[in-house]
Amino acid sequence: MAAMGSGRGTMDSQNQVQSDSIDRLKLLYPNVNEDETPLPRSWSTKDKFSYIGLSQNNLRVHYKGGTQGPGRRPHLPYLHLRLWMHRHGKTHKDAASVRATHPIPAACGLYYFEVRIVSKGRDGYMGIGLSAHGVNMNRLPGWDKHSYGYHGDDGHSFCSSGTGQPYGPTFTTGDVIGCGVNLVDNTCFYTKNGHHLGIAFRGLPPNLYPTVGLQTPGEVVDANFGQQPFVFDIEDMLRELRARTRLAIDEFPLPDEQGQWQQVLHRMVSTYLVHHGYCSTAQAFSRATGERVHEDIASIKNRQRISKLVLGGRVGEAVEAARRLYPGLLERDPDLLFLLKCRQFVEMVNGSDSEMCDSDAEGACGANGVATSVISHTSRAHSPAPTSPPAPHAPPAPPPAPHTPPPHATHNGLHHTNGVSEMADGEPRANCDVDMPPAHASPNGIAGSEPVKGMPGVTACVAALLSPRRSEGEGCRASVERMLAFGRELYAMSQKLTQDHYHKSMLEDAFSLLAYSNPWDSPLGWQLEPVRREAVCEALNSAILEFQGMGWVSPVEACVSHSRELLRRMARASLGACAFADLPALLRR
Amino acid sequence: MQHFTIFMDIESSRSYIDELYSIEDMKILDALIALKNSVIGSNRQKSSVIQQGIVPRLLQLMSENHWDPNIRLEATITVGSLAKGTPENVTALVEQGAAVTIVDLLREVPIGTKLAEACLCALRSIFLNPPAPISSVPAEMILLTRFTQIAKEGSPTSRACVVRILSIWCGGPIEQEALCAAGACSAVATLLAPKGVTAPPIARVLPALDLLAAMCFENANVSQVALNTRYGDKTIPELLTLLVSRDKPLPVAMGAARCLTFIHRAGALTADDNRVVFGALPCLARLCTKDMPEDIRATAAETLAYLAEVDTSLQRLAAISNHLMSSLADIVTCPSAAAKQGAFKCFASLGANDEDIRKRIIETHGLMVHVVNGMNNPEPSVRLAAVRCLHSLSRSVQQLRTTFQDHAVWRPLMQLLNDAPGTELLTVGSSTLCNLLLEFSPAKEPMLDQGAVEMLCSLTKRPEAALRLNGIWALMNMAFQAEQKVKQRILCCLGTEQMFRLLGDGDTRVIMKTLGLLRNLLSTRQHIDAIMGEYSSQVMQAVIVVLEGSYPAEVKEQALCILGNIGDGEKAKDLIMANEDVLRKLVDYLAHPESKLQEAALFVAGNLVWRGEAGCAARQARLADLGVLRALKLLRQRQDAAHLHDKVKTALAQFNEFT
């Protein structure tokens, strides 16, 4: 495991090196999902006419002409060479283009690339622009349908036509020509040496490729797709479009029948508070606004209590409470139960869970308020775990939960020992013997290389960890054994579930914690962070709500995910404005 | 019914107006509040209150220390409210000393107080009504320092007010320097700076930008100070570059670009500075585009005209920026006068130096029709701008021969110049005429028929040197290779007396052009003889005046050239030969240290001794007697006159018999 970890470490650093150049593009086009629509990063080696040669990571384009070997002028006496040079590029038949590897994704919003003219060659018949997939490459951009170009020899723009319109200045060796595509308005503009020349084309079709075309020998151009800083200040235009989109959203007219915003917003706030069990706040809000709360207060409080247990790391107790309050819930949803158990295991490592006996373990239920962090002993200095050495009889140290007795506790005779109420009473736990299946690992397994049975992938090094501290007391040892036993049980449970990658990796990650002498400082230490409890808590809360026949997600969150999905759909439908609708920023307001 | 309400109003207000003069503070205060409430939002009530003569009492209540602070505050607020009334109301307030009283009050009121804020609000309202009472704020260091301190530290309203007042007040170099010395630049920097990542609010920025523009306009010293004034780690030009970006409100971007323009034109930023080239210029070009509101486009075009007025590289850049020329061609068709004149001025700047741009303006954007229409516009500012544009375009030889002819631009131009226009229009218009009257211009003939000669001759009598120069210059151009009747007409119309007056002009350029006119008149043999036959004594007198007077060398050169031309005439030669004074002068100039005078004198001598013409032998003998021959020989020996040796040799060769 350690070897794997270090392996991953080096891989990460390699990614880091690679991503240095990628980052610039990611920053320019943050809303582009490159898995779906990759960004153009170089010229295509396939999608080009044969007269075109590429070099320098496929960013440099030169004209090599048609009749001779690849990338080289023919080996001819000087005069013949002049003649060859002279004949080439004389007619439009000599024109040749190359497209970028990918079309421009609509989610860029505003796409921009620059081309530096390294050499204008003999006549400087160069065209810079855009073309759709499949457009003839034996042409300069702009001459055919779905092809658009700005030509250096006359400064004209060519909009799918053999005749150009006067557009801008001519360009030649040393000039940097930029081509920008506004995917909101579907327009295209050019820049010369950082100066905006104005809009050249309107009503562009979607999915165009950056394209350059050359026609005479000696013409060489370099492209910058954003890996290097641009000469033109594209940020300025991006800011403008962002501000414009924001204004369009803010000022979007509302039809009258949907116009009762105050009420809608109140309902959203109220349902959100109720959903997440902010009971008192919800009541206060309800009093202030007159917005009715649609759930029983007691029911909200129950959910709130369970959530607090999970957020406090006391997953075992939470599971127990859920079982008691919502019989059938966890049985119906084994995936959820597995998630909870996995978390419980992590919390056991963390030392924040008081492990509970549950129905899978045979026999009576006994509450064990035991801070079970064993491993923490070895690294007390780094450990966020309790500072006092855990003893079997010590009350749980993790963040104190509200000690209100659950309303149903009294009715529920079966579960006479309830973790919450007991803690609230501060009752010392006299009973620490737990009915656990006997440990399969050898208690004396000091060697440590032997795999722990029932928990594949976990070596017995945990046991090894224990041995020096045996003197500290049997309780410690017992808790580790309990943990291992719990782990085995968890593994068994996972075997029963439909095997999917998600479950498997979750279990592996959790088990892997045991491989480290200081799990908090390990590559998998993120699991131990309290913030990780939130997802589990949310899953449980949603399941309970669904179980009770209510929405599993609050309207405001549904609204956010709806918007997010709409943005994705906009990107697929080539609506560039999606690049500038910054959801987090809109929500922060 | 109407009568009745007015009667009621005055009657009902009477009571509290009387109370204003009460001895009890409480009654005064109540009366003030009642008065304040009655005038808010009602121009009729404001007028009525002012007519009743209450203003002096209000001023007294606000300015005298012994009154209760609340009374002073309410009185000030009431005056401020009155100052928001009609222009007549404000004028009345100023006449009764409101502005001066408020300024005096501001000298002593502590900065953070409500009274100070009320004073500033009232003063701003007064200043916003043109003409602002500029003299009420003297350029005193103590007062201005106080104002800039308020601009830095006061409440948001106070800051906005004081900066607005100063931006209107700052109208000349004295005010500019005084404000700069009082630290206004750093106050402006404070106001322009962003708060963290958020841009400063528009209400704070706009007055500050106007103040900065007013301070930097044509003032190199203040612009230099602004260049080096910092807020945090950013200088004022850097703060301005942040404000010209596309996500800023249009008036803010416009104001910031205007400031950068003024700082550039005052010489503090060079024409190739990035803050000009990538800051002000693209912003202004963008603000001229079709999507912008008309008033913004108008101001942007005019500012861009000023930015690019003199620098060719900026003109070339602007011409390719963001379809500026199409945008301007579109602005010309906007209804408002401001837009039209802004666009014409901008075209004038763009075409000032570059023939290629001029060609594009005319050919691609079909501007001539609009220029001709603009010259007939009822608005004087539009007419002037159209003529400026025409002047700029008239520098193109090609256009003079083609488009100008097609559109008969001379017609509206002559019309304008004959309509007794203002000095500025006359200056630009006559400069344009100069170009139109160039020899190759086909407009020459029809303009003569329109009375161009008479108009130009009258220009030479104007007190303004620029107009005299343009007049005589145009006449000179007109006389170049002209027919004899035209020359006669010029001479006749100008009159020899006026010509002598022009030769005594204080402006050397006028003298030069006058002599140039004489030269052009005296060319080709027949014309010389004809004109000299009539005006010989005057012309000779003119030449002698110049040759004897203390004129710069290039003026005397012109005079000698005239002599040379006369010497080319058949009969006219004798006029020179008969004048011993002139001949002796000739000898002197052949030995003159100034090379161009030697050359000119040589030209005269060469014409006089030319063989094969009747009486040449006699002339040669006479000239040899007077020492011309000797002078020529000496000239041949001089090393510094080596470039003239060929001509000297030719002249000497004519003297065969005597050598």
Side-chain angles (χ1 to χ4, degrees):
Chain A
M1 197 61 211
M4 259 186 73
S6 67
R8 185 178 294 180
T10 44
M11 270 164 61
D12 283 346
S13 65
Q14 274 169 359
N15 286 343
Q16 207 59 45
V17 173
Q18 267 186 348
S19 67
D20 259 4
S21 58
I22 295 161
D23 272 346
R24 292 195 74 88
L25 283 169
K26 286 273 182 227
L27 284 175
L28 273 173
Y29 314 116
N31 286 22
V32 173
N33 174 9
E34 281 213 80
D35 298 334
E36 221 168 277
T37 51
L39 286 161
R41 288 169 189 275
S42 65
W43 300 114
S44 167
T45 50
K46 299 183 190 90
D47 199 6
K48 70 177 182 66
F49 198 65
S50 59
Y51 292 3
I52 289 284
L54 296 177
S55 59
Q56 304 203 350
N57 294 325
N58 297 329
L59 289 174
R60 171 166 288 189
V61 185
H62 65 268
Y63 187 82
K64 63 180 188 187
T67 50
Q68 69 300 307
R72 223 183 286 145
R73 286 186 303 200
H75 181 72
L76 294 170
Y78 178 71
L79 267 176
H80 289 162
L81 188 67
R82 286 292 301 274
L83 197 65
W84 176 84
M85 296 270 282
H86 181 72
R87 274 204 219 107
H88 256 89
K90 270 296 150 190
T91 71
H92 289 172
K93 283 180 193 158
D94 296 312
S97 287
V98 57
R99 272 188 279 270
T101 48
H102 299 285
I104 299 164
C108 290
L110 177 67
Y111 182 79
Y112 184 74
F113 70 101
E114 281 182 349
V115 172
R116 180 181 295 276
I117 315 303
V118 179
S119 165
K120 76 172 188 76
R122 199 189 61 206
D123 296 331
Y125 288 155
M126 300 163 291
I128 291 163
L130 308 160
S131 63
H133 181 76
V135 171
N136 187 355
M137 300 309 271
N138 189 193
R139 306 297 202 108
L140 290 187
W143 287 346
D144 289 301
K145 195 166 159 53
H146 293 316
S147 170
Y148 307 85
Y150 166 35
H151 292 194
D153 55 315
D154 56 6
H156 286 188
S157 64
F158 289 74
C159 180
S160 306
S161 156
T163 48
Q165 298 289 318
Y167 168 67
T170 59
F171 55 86
T172 183
T173 307
D175 285 330
V176 176
I177 302 302
C179 175
V181 183
N182 182 328
L183 296 138
V184 183
D185 305 336
N186 297 316
T187 56
C188 165
F189 65 89
Y190 289 92
T191 67
K192 180 182 173 181
N193 299 327
H195 291 280
H196 194 293
L197 301 180
I199 289 174
F201 310 113
R202 294 172 192 274
L204 293 180
N207 295 318
L208 293 172
Y209 291 72
T211 309
V212 293
L214 306 175
Q215 193 177 308
T216 65
E219 290 169 354
V220 184
V221 300
D222 276 351
N224 173 12
F225 291 105
Q227 291 97 335
Q228 305 297 319
F230 290 125
V231 176
F232 177 69
D233 183 8
I234 192 71
E235 273 300 322
D236 194 25
M237 294 191 87
L238 285 169
R239 277 196 298 271
E240 181 195 25
L241 282 168
R242 262 179 234 131
R244 209 177 87 189
T245 311
R246 179 63 174 268
L247 199 68
I249 294 172
D250 288 350
E251 291 181 350
F252 189 78
L254 297 163
D256 277 344
E257 65 268 23
Q258 293 170 21
Q260 286 149 350
W261 274 119
Q262 202 57 38
Q263 208 185 332
V264 172
L265 286 175
H266 282 162
R267 197 173 307 142
M268 281 219 167
V269 173
S270 163
T271 47
Y272 177 82
L273 293 171
V274 170
H275 184 94
H276 290 282
Y278 299 116
C279 186
S280 316
T281 319
Q283 281 176 294
F285 188 80
S286 164
R287 274 195 301 278
T289 59
E291 183 66 42
R292 215 159 56 79
V293 173
H294 292 271
E295 192 183 348
D296 211 36
I297 296 298
S299 163
I300 304 174
K301 282 197 170 145
N302 283 337
R303 285 192 293 110
Q304 186 181 29
R305 199 167 305 116
I306 291 172
S307 294
K308 276 186 176 156
L309 285 170
V310 177
L311 292 176
R314 304 189 307 182
V315 183
E317 290 167 63
V319 168
E320 198 46 40
R323 256 188 224 294
R324 189 161 37 72
L325 290 167
Y326 308 103
L329 168 72
L330 293 176
E331 287 77 359
R332 202 180 74 168
D333 190 350
D335 285 354
L336 176 65
L337 182 62
F338 181 72
L339 176 71
L340 287 164
K341 292 273 179 187
C342 264
R343 187 66 213 174
Q344 187 178 359
F345 183 82
V346 172
E347 296 298 350
M348 285 167 96
V349 176
N350 219 353
S352 28
D353 185 74
S354 50
E355 191 216 326
M356 306 256 316
C357 174
D358 57 41
S359 57
D360 287 337
E362 55 158 302
C365 299
N368 296 278
V370 184
T372 43
S373 180
V374 188
I375 300 165
S376 66
H377 293 190
T378 56
S379 57
R380 215 171 285 159
H382 311 281
S383 161
T387 45
S388 58
H393 300 286
H403 295 164
T404 44
H408 300 286
T410 46
H411 306 290
N412 206 327
L414 279 173
H415 301 269
H416 53 90
T417 50
N418 177 285
V420 180
S421 57
E422 275 197 7
M423 278 186 297
D425 302 337
E427 253 177 51
R429 295 181 206 173
N431 182 6
C432 76
D433 56 1
V434 193
D435 264 330
M436 295 276 286
H440 295 280
S442 159
N444 301 321
I446 303 167
S449 55
E450 191 185 334
V452 177
K453 280 183 196 159
M455 289 173 70
V458 177
T459 58
C461 69
V462 180
L465 277 172
L466 287 175
S467 53
R469 238 158 284 102
R470 201 173 280 168
S471 57
E472 282 187 25
E474 278 301 300
C476 179
R477 189 187 160 71
S479 67
V480 171
E481 277 171 6
R482 264 199 307 281
M483 195 159 71
L484 290 175
F486 188 85
R488 262 178 231 114
E489 195 182 296
L490 199 53
Y491 178 69
M493 186 178 175
S494 80
Q495 297 299 99
K496 279 184 231 156
L497 287 171
T498 44
Q499 286 286 326
D500 67 1
H501 178 72
Y502 176 68
H503 284 136
K504 217 174 147 193
S505 68
M506 186 161 68
L507 192 63
E508 274 175 14
D509 285 346
F511 283 176
S512 301
L513 285 172
L514 295 183
Y516 297 94
S517 59
N518 180 0
W520 288 274
D521 208 19
S522 71
L524 294 161
W526 51 265
Q527 294 180 91
L528 297 165
E529 286 163 17
V531 72
R532 295 277 156 190
R533 293 168 186 159
E534 285 175 12
V536 180
C537 172
E538 183 52 36
L540 180 56
N541 189 38
S542 296
I544 294 173
L545 283 165
E546 209 177 9
F547 186 72
Q548 291 179 314
M550 285 179 279
W552 63 277
V553 59
S554 71
V556 66
E557 283 157 311
C559 179
V560 172
S561 11
H562 182 68
S563 310
R564 207 169 282 137
E565 181 55 30
L566 284 178
L567 287 183
R568 276 193 286 270
R569 292 193 72 116
M570 280 175 79
R572 281 182 215 124
S574 302
L575 295 168
C578 67
F580 305 114
D582 186 356
L583 276 186
L586 284 168
L587 287 175
R588 268 197 301 277
R589 199 163 68 110
Chain B
M1 193 62 205
Q2 190 81 29
H3 262 283
F4 185 65
T5 12
I6 291 169
F7 174 74
M8 280 297 285
D9 267 348
I10 292 169
E11 266 318 279
S12 59
S13 59
R14 204 60 246 174
S15 60
Y16 60 73
I17 284 173
D18 288 341
E19 301 274 272
L20 280 179
Y21 301 89
S22 164
I23 41 162
E24 286 172 59
D25 279 6
M26 271 321 288
K27 280 191 176 170
I28 296 177
L29 188 59
D30 288 345
L32 274 173
I33 292 170
L35 179 64
K36 181 182 77 178
N37 291 340
S38 78
V39 298
I40 285 175
S42 160
N43 278 354
R44 198 166 53 85
Q45 280 290 77
K46 290 188 214 292
S47 303
S48 148
V49 163
I50 290 170
Q51 275 160 25
Q52 289 178 66
I54 302 165
V55 175
R57 176 61 175 172
L58 289 173
L59 296 180
Q60 192 187 7
L61 289 175
M62 65 190 262
S63 59
E64 286 174 11
N65 270 330
H66 60 83
W67 294 106
D68 180 83
N70 284 325
I71 291 181
R72 300 182 70 187
L73 179 63
E74 291 300 334
T76 313
I77 294 174
T78 311
V79 170
S81 180
L82 293 176
K84 285 195 164 78
T86 63
E88 292 76 36
N89 294 160
V90 184
T91 312
L93 281 176
V94 173
E95 277 167 6
Q96 299 185 53
V100 176
T101 312
I102 294 172
V103 171
D104 286 340
L105 196 51
L106 277 169
R107 288 175 200 266
E108 54 199 49
V109 180
I111 285 174
T113 57
K114 283 202 164 158
L115 183 55
E117 191 172 304
C119 282
L120 288 166
C121 283
L123 191 60
R124 174 175 66 173
S125 300
I126 292 174
F127 264 72
L128 282 173
N129 181 59
I134 304 294
S135 59
S136 62
V137 180
E140 286 168 18
M141 194 47 64
I142 300 172
L143 182 65
L144 294 179
T145 313
R146 196 173 172 79
F147 277 3
T148 49
Q149 195 188 349
I150 296 173
K152 275 187 199 169
E153 301 160 12
S155 67
T157 315
S158 303
R159 296 173 89 182
C161 288
V162 80
V163 174
R164 176 52 71 208
I165 294 165
L166 291 177
S167 74
I168 299 168
W169 178 76
C170 182
I174 298 166
E175 288 88 358
Q176 289 172 335
E177 297 292 343
L179 273 176
C180 185
C185 281
S186 77
V188 167
T190 318
L191 291 162
L192 296 183
K195 289 271 168 283
V197 284
T198 52
I202 182 164
R204 200 180 82 188
V205 172
L206 280 185
L209 288 172
D210 285 344
L211 174 59
L212 183 62
M215 284 172 65
C216 291
F217 184 64
E218 292 181 344
N219 191 319
N221 176 37
V222 176
S223 297
Q224 197 60 45
V225 172
L227 191 66
N228 298 319
T229 305
R230 286 173 179 278
Y231 182 83
D233 58 342
K234 289 201 162 58
T235 62
I236 284 183
E238 281 162 354
L239 291 169
L240 291 172
T241 355
L242 291 181
L243 294 176
V244 296
S245 60
R246 288 165 174 263
D247 58 341
K248 297 291 176 293
L250 300 180
V252 172
M254 180 61 239
R258 192 156 155 263
C259 288
L260 284 170
T261 299
F262 287 7
I263 294 174
H264 159 63
R265 285 303 305 275
L269 288 174
T270 57
D272 58 356
D273 192 290
N274 274 353
R275 291 164 289 194
V276 175
V277 175
F278 291 105
L281 182 84
C283 173
L284 291 172
R286 175 171 63 89
L287 294 178
C288 285
T289 53
K290 283 198 180 94
D291 322 326
M292 299 294 159
E294 193 172 320
D295 57 327
I296 291 277
R297 299 178 83 186
T299 325
E302 191 163 1
T303 312
L304 191 49
Y306 185 55
L307 178 74
E309 193 176 356
V310 289
D311 189 273
T312 312
S313 68
L314 285 179
Q315 289 159 9
R316 291 197 179 125
L317 265 184
I320 62 159
S321 283
N322 218 332
H323 297 313
L324 178 66
M325 307 248 250
S326 313
S327 305
L328 291 176
D330 185 68
I331 299 176
V332 165
T333 63
C334 284
S336 79
K340 279 187 202 296
Q341 68 133 0
F344 280 135
K345 279 188 185 172
C346 199
F347 272 128
S349 284
L350 292 183
N353 301 334
D354 192 302
E355 176 69 26
D356 199 46
I357 297 177
R358 286 197 281 262
K359 208 172 142 192
R360 277 173 61 201
I361 291 175
I362 291 168
E363 286 174 6
T364 319
H365 303 286
L367 191 68
M368 284 322 288
V369 187
H370 295 297
V371 172
V372 171
N373 288 342
M375 285 196 285
N376 293 321
N377 195 288
E379 196 66 42
S381 67
V382 176
R383 292 201 295 266
L384 176 61
V387 175
R388 274 189 195 288
C389 186
L390 188 67
H391 175 231
S392 173
L393 297 175
S394 72
R395 291 177 180 166
S396 160
V397 172
Q398 194 200 354
Q399 300 311 329
L400 285 177
R401 288 201 171 132
T402 55
T403 332
F404 277 42
Q405 187 62 15
D406 296 344
H407 289 88
V409 291
W410 50 269
R411 213 189 303 267
L413 183 65
M414 285 301 295
Q415 182 86 39
L416 274 185
L417 294 177
N418 283 326
D419 277 356
T423 315
E424 203 179 351
L425 195 142
L426 207 49
T427 315
V428 187
S430 52
S431 294
T432 316
L433 267 191
C434 285
N435 291 343
L436 290 181
L437 287 170
L438 282 174
E439 127 280 348
F440 41 75
S441 166
K444 210 164 158 176
E445 284 301 316
M447 285 174 66
L448 285 172
D449 300 341
Q450 291 272 313
V453 176
E454 290 72 20
M455 203 266 301
L456 292 172
C457 288
S458 71
L459 275 188
T460 64
K461 291 169 187 153
R462 298 283 300 214
E464 298 89 350
L467 287 179
R468 290 198 304 274
L469 177 65
N470 283 347
I472 194 72
W473 194 334
L475 285 172
M476 180 184 94
N477 284 352
M478 187 189 273
F480 184 75
Q481 293 183 354
E483 292 169 45
Q484 196 178 340
K485 65 170 180 107
V486 176
K487 293 184 178 177
Q488 288 287 0
R489 191 164 161 190
I490 293 173
L491 263 175
C492 181
C493 184
L494 187 64
T496 46
E497 227 171 284
Q498 175 62 11
M499 202 180 307
F500 280 116
R501 215 172 289 139
L502 289 172
L503 286 175
D505 201 283
D507 191 331
T508 314
R509 291 174 303 171
V510 174
I511 303 172
M512 290 285 286
K513 298 301 168 196
T514 313
L515 293 170
L517 169 65
L518 269 177
R519 263 181 81 180
N520 284 350
L521 289 173
L522 295 170
S523 68
T524 73
R525 197 157 271 196
Q526 299 90 335
H527 295 179
I528 295 167
D529 286 336
I531 290 168
M532 286 309 282
E534 211 170 324
Y535 297 99
S536 61
S537 60
Q538 289 93 331
V539 172
M540 288 307 289
Q541 195 189 341
V543 171
I544 290 164
V545 163
V546 173
L547 289 181
E548 285 180 348
S550 55
Y551 288 98
E554 64 263 24
V555 175
K556 299 203 173 194
E557 184 192 6
Q558 290 293 323
L560 285 171
C561 287
I562 294 169
L563 270 189
N565 282 8
I566 297 171
D568 191 35
E570 229 165 307
K571 291 174 222 152
K573 278 190 179 70
D574 303 335
L575 287 167
I576 301 179
M577 296 310 294
N579 195 326
E580 201 178 314
D581 271 1
V582 172
L583 293 177
R584 288 192 191 287
K585 287 251 147 16
L586 193 61
V587 177
D588 291 347
Y589 281 110
L590 279 173
H592 200 275
E594 191 77 47
S595 155
K596 56 186 168 198
L597 291 181
Q598 283 172 13
E599 191 175 352
L602 186 60
F603 164 62
V604 181
N607 275 351
L608 290 177
V609 300
W610 197 254
R611 274 198 289 179
E613 282 178 5
C616 77
R619 283 197 298 275
Q620 286 181 2
R622 175 98 173 110
L623 288 173
D625 276 356
L626 284 166
V628 171
L629 188 57
R630 192 160 42 91
L632 285 173
K633 282 178 178 166
L634 281 173
L635 193 58
R636 194 171 57 176
Q637 284 152 20
R638 277 174 68 161
Q639 285 310 307
D640 57 344
H643 60 288
L644 297 175
H645 282 177
D646 282 348
K647 285 181 184 168
V648 176
K649 232 182 261 173
T650 322
L652 282 174
Q654 310 291 332
F655 276 98
N656 262 348
E657 293 141 54
F658 301 93
T659 45

